[in-house]
Amino acid sequence: MSPAFPILTAMVLLPAAGALAVALVPRTRPELFRGVALLFSFATGALTIYLLAAFDRHDAGYQFVVNRSWVSDFGIAWHVGVDGISLFLIVLTGVLFPLAMLGSSPHHDPKPYYAWLLLLEAGCLGVFISLDLFLFFVMFEIVLVPMYFLIGGWGYANRVYAALKFFLFTIFGSALMLVGIVALAYLHRNAIEDQHRAQATEIVDQAQGNPTPAQQAEVAQLREGVPLSFDLVDIAESHTVVDDSKSANPIDWSAARWIFLALAVAFAIKVPLFPLHTWLPDAHTEAPTAGSVILAGVLLKLGTYGLLRFGLYLLPDAALFFAPGLVTLGVIGIIYGAICAAMQKDLKRLVAYSSVAHLGFIVLGTFAITTQGLQGGLLQAVNHGLSTGALFLLVGMIADRRGTREISRLKGLQKPAPLFAAVFMVVMLSSIGLPGLNGFVGEFLVLIGSFLTRRWWAIVAASGVILAALYLLWAYQRVFQGEPDEDNRHFPEINWREGLVMAPLVALIVFLGVYPKPVLDRMAPSVDKLIVHVERNSDFVSPKPGRPAENAQEGGK
Amino acid sequence: MLDLVWLIPALPLAGFLLLLAFGRRLGEPGAGWLATIMCAASFAASVIVFAGLLARAEDNRRFVQILFAWVPVGALRVDVGFLVDPLSITMALFVTGVGALIHLYAIGYMHGDDGFPRFFVYLNLFIFSMLMLVLGNNLLVTFVGWEGVGACSYFLISFWFSDEANASAGKKAFITNRIGDWGFMLAIFVAFASVGTIDYVGMNTRLAQGAAVTATAVGLLLFVGAVGKSAQIPLFIWLPDAMAGPTPVSALIHAATMVTAGVFLMTRVNPILAAGYTWVPHLIAWLGVITALVAATIAITQNDIKKVLAYSTISQLGYMFLAVGVGAYVAAIFHMVTHAFFKALLFLGSGSVIHGVDDEQDMRRMGALRKYMPVTAATFIVGWLAIAGVPPFSGFWSKDEILLSAWASGGTQGRALWAIGLATALITAYYMSRQVFLVFYGEARWQDDAPAEIPAEGGGAEAAVEPAHDEAGGHGVRPHESPWLMAAPLVVLAVLATVGGVINLPFSENTEFLARWLDPVVGANELAIDVPTATKVTLAAVAVAAALVGILGAAVVYLWRRVRAVEPAVLAHGYYYDESISRFVGGPGMALFNAVAWFDTHIIDGAVNGVAALVAGGGRRLRVVQSGFVRSYALGVATGVVVVLAYIITRINF
């Protein structure tokens, strides 16, 4: 593949084409649906792996960029690119989709099921590569529709309620996002025009009625209108230079805050942040297994990614204003989600609530705005995708075998299925954050990074680690330990197909725990660049750990 | 030779991986032998590294090996690396040495168990984790081992997972430990934030030079971690329950190695403790000595053979913290080593007894076993004399050193610490003698139906470890000596428990090998003992007298039966501490959690559904616009939001 090959565009089009292909397979050949769908999603996965290999880890900027005008009247462009911040979310998406498809099958109507899943994959990848606000919004919306139909069509008993709730919550956020995006684009354009006019006036004043032809031309050019643009990079990095170290957003600070708030609410619903989380337990629990895996593994990350890329990066000053609130909600989520998880009677719902806790860590790390916190948050996003994705797959296997997810009806499964229990144990320990497995590295980095800037939040959040052990070990005890009764005595052991799905997940869980350096190295340049960007556009100063001057105030507990 | 240090943890790790892959095919006893050989090979590697270190000049006995960069993020540089110095290699030697003996013993003990290969998978993983803990060159690698041993402890306590009580005990151990680990994590954060490194070498130096308040915070938070891992007040409750695990586990993890990790950690960061405010070491000393006393008093009344030893372990760990608190780091490590010998011996001996009387653990159903199990009895008696502090057995020397250090730490406080320590020594001799007399002397009671021989008011404290004796009562039990695989480690440990004191005899500087050996690590902050020889001898004599009084007292009550036993219920129930916590967790704790869950379903989600109901109600009246499609409702909502927000944005400033 030559550098000119638009790999990112292909990455979105391939699963979309797959959806079309599945739709075109005649209903008389039902055995083909699954095969075609797997083919396309594995091919897409391979493409993301290739992207990982081809990615230049020293480059902090966007790579594989394609920027073509799309709706030129409104300045909307097909502007896509990838950097160290989005890279691993893309790879995670590429890896999780084929595994989720392989690890579970729909109980009916495979054709639309696989078509929706592939369309969902296209949308998710589209979100992570979009560098145009409007394109991002479109992709964000595309994701919503297949998920709605997957939950509503192939879910469990209470699926209609759950699907509707998911839809209404998200569409509410989307509406806010659309307002924010449109307002931002127009206000930004207006602000630039104002600046130009001011410059023109200044030139005219300086010329004192006798402008040279060059000045006249310049004034004319400055007085011409500026085209509307939805370009993320343009808007985020067009800030006016104030002096060598600072620059300022051309948009009025109060408007910027309103816009940030509109976007943040949309993303907070997706994350979800307390108290906007109540769609999550229903949607996760009622969705079919593959839906839950993707929902937890990928869709929630749209929210945290959005907060980072379309919040912190886009409007740094406004983001800092709201950061304490967001961090507080994240920390509440860590504790609150864990407590709710502990009290669930349904195993799948328990895992769902654990997501609220885990995502709280990501938000905390993101708005700590330290290199450890941000990289930890990104790593935690990947880790949560792997661990919680794997947990949902395992819970799905249990539900399929036993016809129930009620914890009280499961018992002693380790005896008939020791290998299944062992896999569950490894995944669970990763979720608990046991050092040596992936979950620990992310949580640790988030906590140590946020301790530098938000000490008390970090101290409280760290206690979430105790609670995670509490609810998961308790669940493990009730489900896997004890003496199995008649219903559970013949629980089938993990089979080869399931083993095939779990093996790469477990391998990644161990690998990322022991040697996260390849991932961290690729994130670092982009994250550092982001921090410099934030420092430049706000009053924020990134802390330097180990400065003796700080010692006097340190840790007087 | 020093660069072979990576082999020390790599060998048990290889054993773990091999057993994971081929354990089931190897089966019994192959899996056990593989694990034992790996642990013994690790011991051999430790000896080689030890020799290499010994060959170096005293002020040059420090070697760092970096394997690879683990978490390099910005200013945070954490490597997977090892710090070889006299302290870490001392730990590695006794962990692998005692570990290998216990592995060997376990081949015999676990004979016939369905989970035989699985047991050795965990055991090798444990040794690996423990070695990472002691050899790590920074706080985070130690933390990997720290949580790793916790996880292995959890696996092994709930090894017989079919029994709910075992599963609960394992869970309790893990969660209680995690409370301590929270402190450990915060210590890492504070250290990094203030001095920018968590490597022991750099961190210790810089914190010692920095502000006292920072050093205090780091020291105190690490101590919180140590309190959890080493089962001190208030987090000791998990250790008695941990006896639910197979007995080799109790010996290895819950007596000899893992639970001493807290003492190791405190010794490792001794410059930080010295640089902080003095109330932290004082707190450590007081918490240690009070734990020692409290646990010893509880041990008097326990009837489960392993629970006596569990409380005894808590008590002995308290001694070690007393030593740390008064700055007697050498004495702490000395006692850690001798304790590893005699307590492992006692646990393995108790395992042999349990094995010999068909899984009976209630001492009231034992007695006179010395006639049937001569090797077990003889070695157990050695362990007893060692822990009771009878010269010349190893425990006497190390305990005497701690009591002397407490005395020498000066002032009223030193005297008080010494007095409580001495009282604990007396009680220790008493309850251990009680155990020996009940198990090996007196009448044979294993044929009895009811455990009525010794009146014990409220013997319900052993809830979690109720032994699985068969329903037929004890009839038909034929006590027998254990096979050589189990007896051989007992003999080796008995020899070590007897002569272990030679590593640090207090006769002259030349015989204090351990003190000289550890000097590069702890010397700068070690308590200087400035006490005349006459006082030292007197103190030692008083300590021996206390031991003898304890033994005699127990003999009067339990051997000659001249005095009725006093075993108050408050002690049998461990001062109702554990029960109160259980009641709190099960009552108000559970209620709080339920309240949060209720809040979530009824208030937060209720509000959402309430809004939905309102919309639906409005919709019924506005049937004209009702189309039945989700999209159109959504569009309505969205349009409204757009209008409202657009208005707001143009009008209002923050």
Side-chain angles (χ1 to χ4, degrees):
Chain A
M1 292 187 208
S2 67
F5 177 75
I7 181 172
L8 296 180
T9 309
M11 207 178 277
V12 178
L13 292 181
L14 193 61
L20 197 65
V22 171
L24 289 177
V25 173
R27 284 203 181 273
T28 49
R29 303 290 304 278
E31 73 281 3
L32 284 181
F33 298 136
R34 190 174 162 81
V36 171
L38 280 172
L39 184 72
F40 274 94
S41 71
F42 268 105
T44 311
L47 217 50
T48 63
I49 302 287
Y50 171 80
L51 181 76
L52 178 62
F55 186 84
D56 176 4
R57 69 191 182 90
H58 301 295
D59 185 353
Y62 299 102
Q63 304 182 28
F64 309 99
V65 174
V66 174
N67 194 353
R68 272 166 221 271
S69 181
W70 185 23
V71 187
S72 51
D73 288 349
F74 292 103
I76 298 168
W78 178 271
H79 186 187
V80 295
V82 56
D83 68 352
I85 288 169
S86 53
L87 176 68
F88 289 96
L89 292 168
I90 292 169
V91 177
L92 176 73
T93 309
V95 170
L96 269 187
F97 266 89
L99 290 179
M101 285 188 198
L102 198 64
S104 66
S105 314
H107 298 292
H108 59 88
D109 292 319
K111 181 169 166 162
Y113 173 85
Y114 286 114
W116 283 130
L117 264 177
L118 285 167
L119 188 62
L120 183 63
E121 180 168 16
C124 290
L125 288 168
V127 167
F128 292 133
I129 62 173
S130 294
L131 296 179
D132 181 279
L133 293 170
F134 204 85
L135 181 63
F136 174 81
F137 175 76
V138 170
M139 291 297 179
F140 204 84
E141 290 305 286
I142 286 181
V143 167
L144 176 58
V145 179
M147 204 58 197
Y148 168 74
F149 283 107
L150 282 169
I151 298 173
W154 288 268
Y156 292 91
N158 205 13
R159 60 182 178 271
V160 177
Y161 169 76
L164 191 63
K165 198 169 178 180
F166 165 76
F167 192 90
L168 288 177
F169 259 94
T170 320
I171 198 83
F172 175 74
S174 299
L176 289 176
M177 195 200 298
L178 182 60
V179 173
I181 285 174
V182 172
L184 178 60
Y186 277 94
L187 288 177
H188 182 256
R189 200 255 316 255
N190 294 349
I192 300 284
E193 282 181 348
D194 286 350
Q195 280 179 1
H196 285 190
R197 272 189 222 109
Q199 282 169 12
T201 316
E202 204 175 315
I203 293 171
V204 171
D205 288 353
Q206 275 175 358
Q208 292 172 331
N210 288 321
T212 61
Q215 279 174 327
Q216 276 177 340
E218 200 181 344
V219 167
Q221 202 189 350
L222 283 170
R223 283 187 174 154
E224 237 173 59
V226 177
L228 191 65
S229 166
F230 281 90
D231 196 279
L232 169 72
V233 186
D234 274 0
I235 297 178
E237 301 192 2
S238 76
H239 296 177
T240 322
V241 175
V242 175
D243 58 43
D244 285 349
S245 63
K246 291 285 172 198
S247 52
N249 195 322
I251 304 168
D252 174 46
W253 58 271
S254 139
R257 283 178 186 176
W258 279 109
I259 291 166
F260 179 88
L261 189 64
L263 294 172
V265 170
F267 297 135
I269 289 173
K270 205 83 180 180
V271 170
L273 271 177
F274 175 89
L276 301 172
H277 64 277
T278 62
W279 64 270
L280 177 136
D282 288 310
H284 277 68
T285 312
E286 299 303 330
T289 297
S292 308
V293 172
I294 299 306
L295 203 49
V298 181
L299 256 65
L300 304 187
K301 306 331 172 334
L302 303 188
T304 56
Y305 175 76
L307 282 173
L308 179 50
R309 180 83 88 201
F310 295 84
L312 188 58
Y313 170 64
L314 187 59
L315 299 164
D317 200 33
L320 274 167
F321 177 79
F322 288 104
L326 288 165
V327 167
T328 304
L329 292 180
V331 172
I332 290 176
I334 292 172
I335 307 295
Y336 183 88
I339 292 177
C340 287
M343 288 295 112
Q344 296 309 311
K345 297 179 176 68
D346 180 320
L347 189 57
K348 206 171 174 188
R349 234 180 143 75
L350 184 150
V351 178
Y353 269 106
S354 79
S355 286
V356 177
H358 282 127
L359 272 286
F361 276 104
I362 304 180
V363 174
L364 173 62
T366 302
F367 289 98
I369 326 183
T370 56
T371 167
Q372 291 83 17
L374 278 161
Q375 291 199 44
L378 286 169
L379 195 60
Q380 169 86 349
V382 175
N383 290 337
H384 174 261
L386 296 173
S387 318
T388 309
L391 273 180
F392 272 123
L393 281 168
L394 289 165
V395 172
M397 292 170 199
I398 293 175
D400 281 351
R401 283 162 159 81
R402 289 279 294 103
T404 180
R405 304 175 314 242
E406 283 285 306
I407 293 173
S408 59
R409 291 181 58 195
L410 303 163
K411 198 171 196 285
L413 299 185
Q414 190 174 346
K415 207 158 208 180
L419 198 56
F420 190 98
V423 173
F424 194 97
M425 175 62 81
V426 173
V427 174
M428 180 183 87
L429 290 176
S430 142
S431 190
I432 287 177
L434 190 78
L437 301 176
N438 62 344
F440 172 72
V441 185
E443 276 180 13
F444 172 76
L445 284 173
V446 164
L447 290 172
I448 201 167
S450 50
F451 188 83
L452 296 174
T453 49
R454 309 206 175 274
R455 178 168 311 162
W456 297 105
W457 283 268
I459 291 171
V460 176
S463 65
V465 173
I466 304 171
L467 292 171
L470 181 83
Y471 65 78
L472 278 170
L473 291 192
W474 192 28
Y476 185 86
Q477 178 185 359
R478 287 177 291 170
V479 173
F480 285 94
Q481 297 177 325
E483 190 67 38
D485 53 23
E486 196 46 49
D487 291 339
N488 293 303
R489 196 164 295 154
H490 308 290
F491 189 86
E493 183 55 289
I494 198 164
N495 63 36
W496 70 267
R497 191 197 65 165
E498 293 163 342
L500 204 65
V501 174
M502 297 313 295
L505 291 173
V506 170
L508 283 171
I509 283 171
V510 175
F511 177 78
L512 290 179
V514 177
Y515 198 56
K517 188 168 178 285
V519 177
L520 295 171
D521 280 353
R522 282 167 177 76
M523 289 173 178
S526 301
V527 166
D528 289 342
K529 186 169 170 245
L530 174 66
I531 292 174
V532 171
H533 173 77
V534 173
E535 282 184 327
R536 194 172 170 76
N537 291 294
S538 70
D539 303 331
F540 178 75
V541 181
S542 190
K544 304 281 178 287
R547 286 285 169 82
E550 288 176 26
N551 283 6
Q553 285 105 48
E554 283 301 332
K557 284 173 281 295
Chain B
M1 282 192 286
L2 289 179
D3 44 16
L4 287 179
V5 57
W6 63 273
L7 262 180
I8 302 175
L11 286 162
L13 177 65
F16 162 71
L17 294 173
L18 285 172
L19 285 168
L20 207 57
F22 308 113
R24 266 201 242 187
R25 239 165 291 167
L26 282 170
E28 192 194 337
W33 281 110
L34 176 66
T36 309
I37 288 166
M38 284 303 184
C39 191
S42 177
F43 176 67
S46 306
V47 171
I48 292 171
V49 176
F50 169 67
L53 202 62
L54 202 59
R56 285 194 172 192
E58 205 163 296
D59 53 355
N60 192 26
R61 284 182 185 152
R62 180 194 277 164
F63 174 74
V64 174
Q65 183 178 57
I66 304 294
L67 291 190
F68 58 88
W70 181 30
V71 188
V73 179
L76 180 70
R77 297 271 144 194
V78 183
D79 299 320
V80 173
F82 303 120
L83 170 61
V84 181
D85 69 357
L87 176 63
S88 64
I89 214 67
T90 306
M91 298 292 295
L93 278 172
F94 93 79
V95 167
T96 52
V98 175
L101 288 172
I102 295 172
H103 271 70
L104 188 68
Y105 174 94
I107 298 177
Y109 190 86
M110 297 304 289
H111 171 67
D113 195 287
D114 290 341
F116 188 89
R118 187 165 59 94
F119 183 78
F120 286 96
V121 169
Y122 296 150
L123 227 48
N124 261 11
L125 182 63
F126 170 78
I127 295 287
F128 164 71
S129 304
M130 190 69 205
L131 289 168
M132 293 304 282
L133 194 165
V134 299
L135 288 171
N137 84 320
N138 60 61
L139 277 177
L140 206 64
V141 173
T142 293
F143 192 65
V144 173
W146 189 269
E147 286 245 314
V149 292
C152 292
S153 162
Y154 161 70
F155 297 147
L156 285 162
I157 293 169
S158 48
F159 182 75
W160 289 310
F161 58 85
S162 299
D163 190 340
E164 287 278 356
N166 299 346
S168 292
K171 184 185 63 186
K172 183 173 174 181
F174 194 93
I175 292 168
T176 315
N177 265 297
R178 272 247 157 159
I179 297 173
D181 295 355
W182 175 78
F184 197 133
M185 289 242 279
L186 293 187
I188 296 177
F189 303 157
V190 177
F192 172 66
S194 52
V195 297
T197 179
I198 54 171
D199 287 356
Y200 286 122
V201 179
M203 177 184 72
N204 280 354
T205 324
R206 289 196 217 171
L207 278 175
Q209 290 161 352
V213 64
T214 317
T216 306
V218 175
L220 191 65
L221 288 166
L222 286 176
F223 179 60
V224 171
V227 164
K229 194 59 78 194
S230 294
Q232 297 294 291
I233 290 173
L235 296 178
F236 68 91
I237 47 167
W238 64 272
L239 190 60
D241 286 12
M243 297 300 123
T247 304
V249 172
S250 312
L252 178 60
I253 301 182
H254 304 123
T257 57
M258 181 185 89
V259 289
T260 62
V263 182
F264 160 77
L265 184 68
M266 292 294 102
T267 311
R268 177 50 90 208
V269 300
N270 68 78
I272 299 177
L273 290 180
Y277 299 135
T278 49
W279 60 262
V280 176
H282 291 169
L283 176 76
I284 295 173
W286 277 105
L287 212 59
V289 79
I290 289 169
T291 305
L293 180 67
V294 166
T297 55
I298 298 173
I300 296 175
T301 56
Q302 299 302 308
N303 291 316
D304 184 306
I305 186 170
K306 285 176 71 180
K307 285 232 164 160
V308 175
L309 295 176
Y311 281 107
S312 159
T313 303
I314 297 172
S315 172
Q316 297 295 312
L317 289 165
Y319 270 118
M320 296 176 212
F321 279 103
L322 165 62
V324 165
V326 298
Y329 296 102
V330 174
I333 300 294
F334 185 23
H335 197 57
M336 185 194 290
V337 173
T338 61
H339 176 256
F341 294 152
F342 63 70
K343 189 52 70 64
L345 169 63
L346 289 169
F347 262 117
L348 295 186
S350 77
S352 179
V353 168
I354 294 166
H355 195 268
V357 292
D358 289 358
D359 294 335
E360 179 58 71
Q361 289 186 210
D362 193 329
M363 295 192 299
R364 289 167 298 186
R365 302 171 66 92
M366 295 177 185
L369 286 175
R370 70 180 189 286
K371 294 167 195 154
Y372 302 88
M373 318 177 81
V375 179
T376 306
T379 52
F380 200 96
I381 285 167
V382 170
W384 160 48
L385 295 173
I387 191 175
V390 174
F393 295 94
S394 60
F396 162 75
W397 303 106
S398 52
K399 194 183 288 186
D400 189 53
E401 180 103 10
I402 293 177
L403 290 177
L404 171 65
S405 305
W407 177 278
S409 68
T412 325
Q413 174 172 273
R415 300 289 184 275
L417 291 171
W418 174 82
I420 300 173
L422 185 74
T424 307
L426 192 152
I427 300 171
T428 307
Y430 178 82
Y431 70 73
M432 282 310 299
S433 309
R434 168 180 178 266
Q435 180 168 46
V436 168
F437 298 145
L438 282 179
V439 174
F440 294 104
Y441 290 85
E443 296 164 32
R445 295 180 303 273
W446 61 81
Q447 305 277 348
D448 295 353
D449 277 329
E453 199 68 23
I454 303 301
E457 300 145 55
E462 63 266 36
V465 197
E466 196 55 50
H469 51 80
D470 51 334
E471 293 302 314
H475 292 292
V477 173
R478 285 171 197 283
H480 52 85
E481 185 54 274
S482 299
W484 73 269
L485 265 177
M486 293 166 66
L490 289 180
V491 174
V492 176
L493 283 170
V495 172
L496 291 171
T498 309
V499 303
V502 299
I503 61 172
N504 205 40
L505 293 176
F507 300 128
S508 79
E509 281 192 10
N510 290 327
T511 56
E512 290 186 320
F513 299 111
L514 191 68
R516 284 210 324 246
W517 171 241
L518 290 176
D519 189 64
V521 184
V522 300
N525 305 306
E526 177 78 12
L527 170 77
I529 293 179
D530 185 21
V531 175
T533 312
T535 316
K536 284 184 188 173
V537 174
T538 315
L539 288 177
V542 172
V544 173
L548 293 178
V549 169
I551 293 173
L552 245 116
V556 169
V557 179
Y558 295 98
L559 189 61
W560 303 320
R561 307 216 170 264
R562 297 288 163 78
V563 180
R564 212 177 119 87
V566 181
E567 298 182 359
V570 64
L571 296 183
H573 286 267
Y575 300 95
Y576 301 99
Y577 179 65
D578 193 10
E579 289 162 48
S580 308
I581 288 180
S582 300
R583 208 161 298 157
F584 176 79
V585 170
M590 200 71 161
L592 177 72
F593 271 42
N594 270 320
V596 172
W598 183 91
F599 175 79
D600 195 59
T601 30
H602 291 88
I603 306 296
I604 303 230
D605 205 26
V608 171
N609 287 329
V611 170
L614 270 177
V615 172
R620 234 167 273 127
R621 254 156 277 157
L622 295 169
R623 203 165 282 268
V624 202
V625 292
Q626 190 198 36
S627 59
F629 292 108
V630 176
R631 268 294 190 187
S632 56
Y633 297 139
L635 191 67
V637 174
T639 318
V641 172
V642 171
V643 171
V644 170
L645 260 171
Y647 180 76
I648 288 173
I649 285 178
T650 53
R651 290 276 145 178
I652 307 169
N653 288 342
F654 262 97

